[in-house]
């Protein structure tokens, strides 16, 4: 048999007659020794055992070692080091690497071992076996094993044995065979013959084997194992990674880096070396920063290497590994379906991959580590991946697998699979959207649009896609909704789509488009759904500004409470409109509270799908003095938004929470949330005039001003200009109020007054009279006072007080009373301020209360009631400290109340105002979704520990929720929950 050029080069430096190395071999050996000692770590025990075997062989006690380990574990590298050790001790090293390509060729391994020592054989000797051995080594024995008799084979085996024995008598002999499981049968028979008969010869036999691979002859390998000492190589430990990093990179690695490498490679030496080699090429130090952004080996290159190793065993192993990497099948049924083989063959291939260390041994069709999976997957071409996913999708659909599982494979192929795909994708999209992930739902619907569709199916998909896009891509939502609405026949569908489209256009400030959509919808469905007309008019009144007092006339109180309390999507939609309109107009506070809570009753997952309803309902609660409840809802919403990566919802959640903090006087926290909102706006790359960005700036300016940081407030508002006209949108109108407050602090009283009056004029045009929206009248009144215009200041203050009493929220009334007191001035302000003090003691607006107390202290001091004044001042300072504000009277109050303008006629206060009491039924509605779940489990008879286990939280968290529940419901113990929650929480 002729040797390949590759084998010639391989043996040139490793086989030396008489144990002597020429100059070339010596130089090569030095270079190889340096290379292997640089990278071989974690094999101290194995090398020590090999040295013992070599020393034992030198004393004429032969040894046979079999090294076992998974693919990439470092078997060949260990053999390289062993050859160096043998050379250093004067051994003649004969090395061979078995291959599945040559396993049908007789004596292929034997020829590799002795090919360059053939001249050592003396064919003229009298021993009859020698010619046969000479024929084997020289390649003249080329016939297939079955073509010559057993006698000839045995003679050949004996001849090669005698040659090896003769060689060993002249110099110690080290026989090295890599991948012995692939050795041809005659070579395996010779190895067993040698192992049985070598007794007092200086011979060491080193072999490697990869478990799991089916050997050429299992019985001969089993026989060989009986007489060999087996050594199984382990994966790298932490210390091994440290040593290898030091040798390859020259630096001691950071502990976090070492752990990151172990997690990424599962200790596989081959993959670890790839990672460190890549770092060496790019001069990346092994520090904490590298741990957080660990370089990955070149997946395609590593994958091709892995597939080549598998291909040496069989093509079937390659196909199975690729299918598992791409499809990630959960069981053999799916695997056999995509690769087209039977279960038995697939199971056999899987067992081999597990034995080779490619797959984890648990039988779950999972790779030993993600790097190997990614590498093999990257080596699969695009067309092949698509076909594998298409086969998987068809099989899973045929076996009635869950739609989400089928859709996962459909998304990864562009092949048109048939009509069933559209239905499957729609079901999967509905599932993920209900769970609060519309972005993923939109991807599923976009994929469905790639199938062959009828006109009706396309319209339906466009509507579904537009509805999913409404909160994360409003511009595309408008395009898809308008296209899908064209020619719709179902009135209910038209109503739902028009409602959502109006919301999207409203947020974008496209009020003319909103009006057009709503009026067109009224004309289309009015005759068929008369009840929808009032709801559409109400929606128009909320979203479209108009100076026509008759525009959108409708009494929201005419809607049946059972209709918006029924708990479905339609009911929550109507409840949100009722709550927002009530708070906008400043009427029926109790109804507003109930409607807002009903609109939010679907929990965070439902709220995330409707940004306008979320903003409207939570703003309504904030205007109703429910700041604590708003903060809890914001926490839940932000948790879900961060989990789903919903940037717009994150922005709105932080803005609303900033407003709630501002309401409570927690101004530092308000600034922090406003900063997070602005960060989300930058992440989303929103333009400056986008409603989300404007909302965040508004919150930032108000919070900064409250802290006295005028410079930061002015800087935040700079993109909009100090006096530039702002667009006629709701969000820019709210910003006018904040800008007016800033101009007031900057001493521009006239500019401040102009902004506040324009803000109020716009609100009035919308029919939004409530001072709970923005107290623009109070701010305008203060600007009038600074300008010495007491009469208009007092008129505005009294208007606000009248509207505030109609609304009934303590904070709104308290602010109006404060403004009236300031505008009144002197000792006559005391009754107004006293009433404000009484109301705000039941409010969470701590800083507003502190301002009232400060003014009241001034009024008491003017009346000569110094003790009362000191008490009010001390209390104001305490509240200020809680808010992070230093409260000092200074000269401001004296200057403000001693202006030269003539005093207006001072009205007397009415009877002390009582804030609108809560409807007892509202208490249960005030529970957040998490509190509902806790209350439900309590009613089922669960203990606190049992509830904590079921919700996967701590017992302390449950106790915290129960305390809040008791407070809201006005009960003291869990036995009272049943009656307090009757009709609101179902009992088991």
């Amino acid at each position: 048999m002729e040797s390949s050029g590759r084998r010639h080069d391989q043996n040139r430096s490793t086989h030396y007659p008489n144990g002597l190395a020429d100059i070339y071999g010596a130089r090569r050996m030095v270079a190889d020794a340096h290379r292997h000692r640089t990278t071989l770590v974690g094999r101290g025990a194995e090398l020590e055992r090999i040295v013992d075997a070599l020393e034992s062989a030198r004393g004429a006690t032969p040894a046979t070692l079999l090294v076992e380990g998974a693919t990439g574990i470092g078997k060949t590298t260990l053999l390289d080091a062993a050859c160096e050790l043998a050379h250093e001790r004067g051994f003649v090293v004969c090395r061979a690497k078995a291959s599945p390509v040559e396993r049908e060729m007789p004596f292929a391994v034997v020829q590799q071992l002795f090919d360059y020592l053939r001249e050592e054989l003396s064919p003229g000797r009298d021993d009859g076996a020698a010619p046969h051995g000479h024929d084997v080594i020289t390649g003249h024995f080329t016939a297939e094993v079955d073509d010559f008799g057993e006698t000839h084979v045995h003679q050949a085996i004996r001849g090669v044995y005698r040659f090896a024995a003769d060689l060993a008598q002249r110099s110690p002999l080290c026989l090295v065979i890599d991948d012995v499981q692939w050795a041809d049968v005659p070579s395996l028979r010779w190895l067993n013959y040698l192992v049985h008969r070598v007794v007092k010869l200086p011979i060491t036999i080193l072999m490697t084997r990869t478990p799991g691979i089916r050997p050429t002859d299992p019985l001969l390998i089993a026989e060989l194992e009986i007489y060999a000492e087996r050594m199984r190589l382990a994966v790298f430990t932490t210390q091994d990674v440290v040593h290898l990093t030091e040798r390859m990179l020259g630096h001691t690695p950071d502990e976090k880096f070492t752990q990151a490498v172990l997690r990424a490679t599962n200790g596989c030496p081959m993959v670890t070396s790839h990672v460190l080699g890549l770092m060496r090429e790019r001069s990346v130090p092994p520090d904490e920063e590298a741990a957080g952004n660990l370089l990955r080996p070149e997946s395609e290159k590593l994958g091709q290497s892995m597939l080549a190793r598998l291909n040496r065993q069989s093509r079937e192993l390659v196909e199975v590994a690729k299918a598992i990497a791409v499809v990630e099948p959960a069981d053999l049924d799916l695997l056999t379906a995509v690769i087209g083989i039977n279960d038995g063959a697939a199971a056999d291939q899987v067992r081999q991959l597990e034995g080779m260390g490619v797959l984890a041994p648990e039988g779950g069709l999972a790779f030993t580590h993600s790097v190997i999976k990614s590498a093999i997957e990257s080596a699969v071409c695009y067309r092949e991946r698509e076909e594998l996913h298409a086969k998987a999708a068809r099989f899973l659909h045929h076996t009635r697998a869950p739609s989400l599982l089928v859709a996962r494979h459909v998304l990864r192929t562009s092949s048109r699979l048939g009509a069933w795909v559209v239905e499957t994708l729609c079901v999967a999209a509905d599932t993920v959207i209900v769970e609060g992930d519309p972005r993923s739902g939109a991807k599923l619907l976009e994929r469905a649009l790639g199938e062959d569709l009828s006109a009706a199916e396309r319209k339906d998909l466009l509507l579904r896609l537009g509805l999913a896009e409404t909160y994360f891509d409003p511009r595309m939502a408008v395009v898809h909704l308008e296209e899908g609405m064209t020619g719709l026949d179902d009135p209910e569908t038209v109503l739902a789509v028009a409602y959502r489209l109006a919301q999207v256009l409203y947020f974008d400030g496209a009020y003319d488009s909103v009006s057009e959509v709503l009026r067109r919808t009224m004309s289309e469905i009015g005759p068929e759904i008369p009840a929808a007309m009032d709801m559409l008019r109400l929606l128009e009144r909320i979203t479209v500004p108009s100076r026509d007092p008759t525009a959108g006339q409708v009494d929201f109180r005419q809607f049946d409470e059972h209709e918006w309390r029924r708990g479905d999507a339609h009911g929550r939609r109507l409840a949100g409109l009722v709550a927002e309109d009530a708070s906008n107009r400043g009427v029926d506070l109790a109804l507003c509270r109930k409607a807002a809570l009903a609109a939010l009753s679907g929990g965070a997952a439902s709220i995330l799908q409707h940004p306008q309803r979320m903003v409207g309902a939570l703003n309504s609660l904030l205007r109703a003095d429910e700041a604590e409840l708003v903060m809890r809802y914001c926490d839940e919403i932000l948790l879900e938004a961060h989990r789903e990566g919903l940037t717009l919802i994150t922005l709105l959640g932080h803005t609303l929470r900033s407003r709630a903090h501002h309401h409570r006087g927690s101004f530092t926290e308000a600034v922090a949330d406003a900063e997070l909102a602005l960060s989300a706006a930058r992440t989303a790359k929103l333009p400056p005039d986008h409603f989300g960005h404007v909302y965040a700036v508004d919150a930032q300016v108000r919070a900064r001003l409250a802290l006295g940081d005028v410079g930061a407030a002015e800087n935040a508002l700079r993109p909009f200009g100090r006096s530039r006209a702002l667009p006629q949108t709701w969000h820019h109108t709210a910003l006018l109020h904040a800008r007016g407050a800033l101009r007031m602090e900057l001493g521009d009283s006239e500019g401040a007054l102009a902004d506040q009056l324009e803000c109020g004029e716009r609100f009035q045009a919308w029919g939004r009279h409530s001072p709970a929206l923005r107290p623009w009248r109070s701010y305008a009144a203060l600007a009038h006072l600074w300008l010495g215009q007491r009469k208009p200041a007092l008129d505005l203050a009294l208007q606000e007080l009248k509207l505030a009493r109609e609304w009934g929220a303590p904070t709104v009334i308290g602010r109006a009373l404060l403004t009236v007191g300031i505008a009144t001035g002197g000792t006559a302000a005391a009754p107004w301020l006293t009433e404000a003090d009484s109301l705000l003691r039941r409010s969470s607006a701590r800083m507003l209360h502190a301002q009232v107390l400060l003014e009241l202290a001034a009024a008491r001091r003017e009346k000569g009631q110094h003790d009362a004044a000191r008490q009010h001042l001390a209390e104001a300072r305490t509240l200020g400290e809680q808010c992070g504000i230093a409260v000092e009277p200074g000269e401001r109050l004296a200057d403000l109340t001693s202006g030269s303008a003539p005093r207006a006629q001072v009205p007397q206060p009415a009877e002390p105002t009582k804030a609108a009491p809560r409807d007892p039924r509202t208490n249960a509605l005030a529970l957040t979704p998490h509190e509902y779940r806790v209350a439900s489990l309590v009613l089922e008879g669960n203990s606190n520990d049992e509830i904590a286990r079921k919700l996967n939280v701590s017992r302390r968290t449950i106790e915290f929720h129960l305390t809040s529940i008791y407070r809201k419901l006005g009960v003291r113990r869990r036995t009272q929950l049943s009656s307090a929650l009757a009709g609101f929480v179902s009992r088991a």
Side-chain angles (χ1 to χ4, degrees):
M1 186 186 342
E2 294 299 321
S3 302
S4 65
R6 177 189 59 78
R7 188 183 305 151
H8 176 86
D9 183 67
Q10 173 188 345
N11 286 276
R12 182 174 181 180
S13 63
T14 56
H15 299 148
Y16 306 102
N18 302 317
L20 300 176
D22 59 15
I23 295 177
Y24 173 86
R27 291 174 178 172
R28 179 71 173 271
M29 184 168 59
V30 171
D32 287 349
H34 180 267
R35 182 179 74 252
H36 297 309
R37 288 168 184 169
T38 299
T39 57
L40 186 66
V41 298
R43 301 292 180 241
E46 290 82 0
L47 287 174
E48 184 177 351
R49 180 64 193 94
I50 290 172
V51 169
D52 289 344
L54 293 171
E55 295 296 336
S56 175
R58 291 177 67 181
T61 302
T64 302
L65 304 180
L66 178 60
V67 180
E68 295 182 326
T71 301
I73 200 72
K75 302 186 295 295
T76 301
T77 304
L78 181 62
L79 287 190
D80 293 341
C83 289
E84 294 168 13
L85 294 171
H87 277 304
E88 292 170 356
R89 286 161 176 77
F91 278 72
V92 172
V93 178
C94 300
R95 187 166 183 177
K97 186 174 183 64
S99 167
V101 177
E102 296 180 333
R103 58 185 167 186
E104 300 300 327
M105 302 174 69
F107 294 109
V109 168
V110 169
Q111 288 180 51
Q112 282 193 61
L113 286 172
F114 300 118
D115 197 10
Y116 286 88
L117 296 177
R118 64 179 68 176
E119 64 273 14
E120 295 297 312
L121 190 61
S122 302
R125 291 177 59 181
D126 294 335
D127 190 341
H132 292 286
H134 183 271
D135 289 341
V136 169
I137 295 172
T138 58
H140 296 149
F141 204 21
T142 58
E144 295 293 336
V145 176
D146 294 339
D147 293 342
F148 51 80
E150 181 67 22
T151 301
H152 293 86
V153 174
H154 185 66
Q155 287 177 343
I157 290 173
R158 289 185 67 246
V160 177
Y161 165 73
R162 285 185 173 275
F163 170 73
D166 182 61
L167 193 63
Q169 288 175 349
R170 285 181 275 172
S171 181
L173 182 62
C174 181
L175 302 178
V176 181
I177 305 169
D178 207 355
D179 289 331
V180 72
Q181 73 275 357
W182 284 326
D184 60 278
V185 172
S187 294
L188 285 174
R189 291 179 61 184
W190 172 78
L191 269 174
N192 275 295
Y193 187 91
L194 176 66
V195 169
H196 280 78
R197 285 158 180 78
V198 59
V199 179
K200 292 186 178 181
L201 290 175
I203 297 179
T204 298
I205 303 173
L206 303 177
M207 300 173 289
T208 67
R209 181 191 174 197
T210 303
I213 296 180
R214 185 179 298 280
T216 307
D217 191 315
L219 292 180
L220 287 174
I221 290 293
E223 184 179 355
L224 195 60
E225 289 175 345
I226 293 174
Y227 294 96
E229 179 182 344
R230 299 166 69 177
M231 296 190 300
R232 179 171 287 275
L233 299 185
V235 297
F236 277 169
T237 63
T238 300
Q239 197 60 38
D240 294 336
V241 173
V242 171
H243 288 163
L244 184 60
T245 304
E246 290 174 343
R247 293 188 183 185
M248 293 187 67
L249 302 184
H251 297 284
T252 300
D254 181 86
E255 182 179 352
K256 291 184 178 179
F257 171 82
T258 304
Q259 295 305 315
V261 170
L262 281 175
R263 285 194 301 270
T265 66
N266 275 10
C268 176
M270 180 182 68
V271 181
T272 305
S273 297
H274 270 275
V275 172
L276 296 177
L278 190 61
M279 293 179 65
R280 181 172 56 193
E281 291 175 9
R282 301 183 185 180
S283 300
V284 177
D287 52 20
E288 186 175 347
E289 182 179 352
N293 188 24
L294 190 66
L295 292 175
R296 301 290 179 175
E298 299 175 15
S299 294
E300 186 173 355
K301 182 178 178 181
L302 182 58
Q304 294 290 0
S305 173
M306 288 297 301
L307 291 177
R309 291 167 184 259
L310 299 179
N311 192 52
R312 289 171 58 195
Q313 167 64 8
S314 74
R315 182 65 187 173
E316 290 77 12
L317 278 181
V318 173
E319 298 304 319
V320 170
K322 291 196 296 187
I324 295 175
V326 172
V327 177
E328 300 177 11
D331 51 41
L332 278 176
D333 291 340
L334 179 55
L335 178 62
T336 56
V338 297
I339 60 179
I341 62 176
N342 60 52
D343 290 350
D348 183 61
Q349 303 291 342
V350 168
R351 280 194 295 271
Q352 290 191 60
L353 289 171
E354 290 174 352
M356 295 173 69
V358 176
L359 296 182
E362 293 81 6
L365 299 181
F367 287 87
T368 50
H369 42 76
S370 59
V371 173
I372 293 297
K373 176 194 175 296
S374 300
I376 291 179
E377 185 179 10
S378 68
V380 183
C381 69
Y382 174 78
R383 186 180 297 276
E384 192 175 2
R385 282 201 302 270
E386 283 218 327
E387 184 57 30
L388 286 170
H389 283 299
K391 289 179 179 179
R394 291 190 189 100
F395 173 79
L396 291 170
H397 170 68
H398 179 72
T399 55
R400 301 181 183 278
S403 59
L404 282 173
L405 183 58
V406 180
R408 170 179 167 270
H409 294 286
V410 174
L411 281 176
R412 299 184 182 185
T413 177
S414 58
S415 303
R416 296 189 176 183
L417 304 176
W420 61 268
V421 171
V422 177
E423 181 181 358
T424 299
L425 290 171
C426 287
V427 171
D430 289 343
T431 301
V432 297
I433 289 171
V434 167
E435 291 176 352
D437 187 9
R439 194 181 296 271
S440 295
K443 290 180 181 178
L444 294 166
L445 295 169
E446 286 174 349
R447 172 62 182 85
L449 284 168
E451 294 292 324
D452 294 322
L453 303 168
S454 66
E457 288 174 329
R458 181 172 178 78
K459 283 185 179 296
D460 178 63
L461 284 173
L462 286 170
L463 291 175
R464 289 170 178 264
L465 178 58
L467 293 173
E469 290 172 331
T470 49
Y471 74 102
F472 68 87
D473 193 353
R475 301 292 170 85
M476 288 308 300
V478 170
V479 173
H480 290 138
L481 290 174
E482 288 184 335
E483 185 179 352
M485 281 185 71
T486 307
L488 276 181
D489 297 326
D490 180 36
E492 289 288 351
T493 304
V494 172
L495 177 63
V497 175
Y499 173 82
R500 189 67 67 87
L501 186 55
Q503 288 182 323
V504 179
L505 292 169
Y506 162 78
F507 267 134
D508 206 35
Y511 302 116
D512 291 340
S513 298
V514 175
S515 183
E516 180 185 349
V517 168
L518 294 178
R519 291 182 183 278
R520 185 175 68 237
T521 305
M522 290 180 200
S523 64
E524 289 178 4
I525 70 172
E528 300 183 55
I529 314 180
M533 298 297 290
D534 284 339
M535 192 178 88
L536 288 170
R537 290 195 189 99
L538 182 59
L539 180 59
E540 183 179 21
R541 185 166 77 189
I542 290 173
T543 57
V544 181
S546 173
R547 296 184 181 279
D548 182 0
T550 64
Q553 281 189 346
V554 62
D555 185 358
F556 64 83
R557 285 169 289 190
Q558 71 180 339
F559 294 108
D560 185 357
E561 182 174 336
H562 292 291
E563 185 177 356
W564 54 259
R565 281 275 307 279
R566 62 190 191 184
D568 60 0
H570 175 79
R572 290 194 293 269
R573 182 191 311 153
L574 181 57
L577 293 176
V578 169
E580 191 169 1
D581 195 54
S583 65
N584 286 346
R585 294 163 65 82
V587 294
D588 208 334
L589 174 61
L591 179 65
C592 173
R593 281 173 173 159
K594 287 193 292 185
L597 291 168
L600 299 168
S601 61
S606 171
I607 299 169
L608 295 183
Q609 302 175 45
H610 304 278
Q612 184 178 356
R613 185 197 304 164
M614 177 186 82
V615 173
L618 291 178
N619 271 332
S620 297
L621 286 176
L622 199 55
R623 296 162 192 165
D625 273 3
E626 297 287 356
E628 293 287 347
L629 186 57
V630 169
M631 288 184 61
R632 294 198 182 186
Y633 270 106
C634 286
D635 289 342
E636 291 188 24
I637 289 167
L638 286 169
L639 181 65
E640 291 296 319
H642 282 298
R643 184 176 66 85
E644 301 294 344
L646 306 176
T647 306
L648 180 59
I649 300 299
T650 299
L651 184 157
L652 295 175
H654 282 301
T655 301
L656 288 164
R657 195 164 69 177
S658 176
R659 292 179 181 175
H661 280 307
H662 185 278
H663 183 95
R664 298 174 63 249
S666 302
F667 302 123
T668 302
E669 291 83 354
V671 167
D673 268 307
E675 289 285 359
L676 290 170
L678 288 169
S679 175
R682 288 189 291 269
T683 300
K685 298 180 180 179
L686 299 181
D689 283 340
H690 188 277
F691 75 90
H693 183 259
V694 176
Y695 279 167
V697 170
D698 172 60
Q700 174 81 320
V701 171
R702 295 175 65 201
R704 289 290 185 183
L705 286 178
L707 287 174
D709 193 350
V710 178
E714 185 177 15
N715 186 59
L717 201 57
R718 184 167 286 112
F720 302 92
R722 189 189 294 184
S723 58
R724 194 180 71 196
L726 297 180
Q728 296 281 334
T729 68
W730 154 245
H731 41 284
H732 285 98
T733 299
L735 191 62
L736 267 174
H737 173 68
R739 190 174 77 175
L742 173 62
R743 295 175 80 172
M744 189 76 164
E745 292 294 330
L746 293 171
D748 181 10
S749 301
E750 291 183 354
L753 179 60
D755 278 346
Q756 299 299 344
L757 292 177
E758 185 183 354
C759 174
E761 186 178 352
R762 292 187 185 188
F763 281 146
Q764 302 274 39
W766 262 298
R768 300 182 177 187
H769 309 292
S770 174
L773 292 175
R774 289 290 189 278
W776 62 270
R777 296 177 186 85
S778 284
Y779 280 74
L782 294 177
H784 274 303
L785 287 174
W786 274 103
L787 293 170
Q789 301 164 357
R790 187 174 299 278
K791 176 64 168 64
L794 189 56
D795 288 344
L796 282 173
L798 290 172
Q799 287 177 26
E800 179 157 311
L801 180 58
K802 178 177 180 297
L803 293 169
R805 291 189 195 277
E806 291 176 1
W807 178 234
T811 301
V812 179
I813 301 173
R815 180 177 293 280
L817 287 167
L818 171 62
T819 307
V820 173
I822 293 173
T824 301
T827 57
W832 306 102
L833 298 173
T834 300
E835 183 182 352
D837 174 35
S838 175
L839 281 171
L840 292 175
R841 289 185 183 278
R842 290 174 284 157
S843 166
S844 61
R846 295 172 295 178
M847 198 60 214
L848 178 62
H849 189 196
Q851 292 171 339
V852 168
L853 289 168
L854 195 60
E855 296 293 339
L856 188 55
R860 298 296 187 198
R861 184 167 55 247
E862 191 167 335
K863 292 179 69 174
Q865 300 172 349
H866 298 291
D867 290 340
R870 279 192 292 270
Q871 182 179 350
H872 291 319
L873 181 57
E875 194 173 356
R877 283 175 169 166
T878 300
L879 288 171
E881 289 173 1
Q882 294 174 6
C883 300
I885 303 294
V887 175
E888 295 294 342
E891 297 296 327
R892 180 181 59 84
L893 292 178
D895 293 340
L896 184 62
T897 55
S898 62
S900 59
R903 285 182 175 271
Q905 183 178 357
V906 179
Q908 294 300 312
E911 292 296 321
T913 303
K914 294 183 179 180
R918 283 179 175 269
D919 185 331
R921 294 167 57 83
T922 306
N923 294 339
L925 288 169
L927 300 183
T928 69
H930 284 314
E931 290 168 348
Y932 265 114
R933 288 192 285 274
V934 172
S936 300
L937 291 171
V938 169
L939 293 182
E940 292 174 8
N942 294 284
S943 67
N944 289 359
D945 288 332
E946 291 170 334
I947 297 172
R949 284 195 297 272
K950 290 182 178 181
L951 298 182
N952 197 27
V953 296
S954 67
R955 175 189 173 93
R956 188 170 183 178
T957 299
I958 299 303
E959 292 171 347
F960 172 79
H961 281 308
L962 283 174
T963 300
S964 176
I965 292 169
Y966 295 162
R967 178 181 58 79
K968 290 181 179 180
L969 299 180
V971 300
R972 294 186 176 182
R973 57 185 67 89
R974 60 202 301 136
T975 55
Q976 297 174 317
L977 283 178
S978 179
S979 58
L981 291 172
F984 289 93
V985 177
S986 59
R987 300 187 64 175

